[in-house]
Amino acid sequence: HVQLVESGGGSVQAGGSLRLSCDASGDIDNRKCVAWFRQVSGTEREGVAVICAGGDSRTYCHDVVGGRLTISQDNANNVVHLQMTSLKPEDSGTYYCAASKTLMWRSWERCSQGNFVFWGQGTQVTVS
């Protein structure tokens, strides 16, 4: 089993930046891909960014991201970060960290919540 704990959320003004962190513990070797999902109240979780194979492969789930997001993995500390810049109000939501047991290579697989079995509790991001 893998335990995931998110941190780094908060309230910022449009144009600001946040760095989310996902700390992992437990069966780390069972964590093949790590992803960030965003959920807005009343909607399903949507994939934001995914990192796989120990950090060698990244997927950003929406083209509209436009280079504002960077996902990275610190293997020494078992942490995955999501750096978000030039934040917009539509970036608001609860951000969840998730990990999969399988290594996925296709974007649509990586961005689908059903392929992830371990989930954190979420961290709130509010952009005004």
Side-chain angles (χ1 to χ4, degrees), residues 5 20 27 29 32 39 47 58 65 95 100 104 108 115 126:
V5 179
L20 306 183
D27 188 7
D29 290 340
K32 303 304 182 186
Q39 185 171 30
R58 298 171 176 81
V65 164
Y95 283 71
S100 69
M104 299 171 284
W108 69 266
N115 292 323
T126 303

Side-chain angles (χ1 to χ4, degrees), residues 63-86:
D63 291 339
V64 295
V65 164
R68 297 187 298 113
L69 304 183
T70 303
I71 189 168
S72 61
Q73 185 163 337
D74 177 354
N75 290 318
N77 295 298
N78 296 319
V79 181
V80 171
H81 299 289
L82 182 66
Q83 179 70 47
M84 304 189 293
T85 62
S86 302

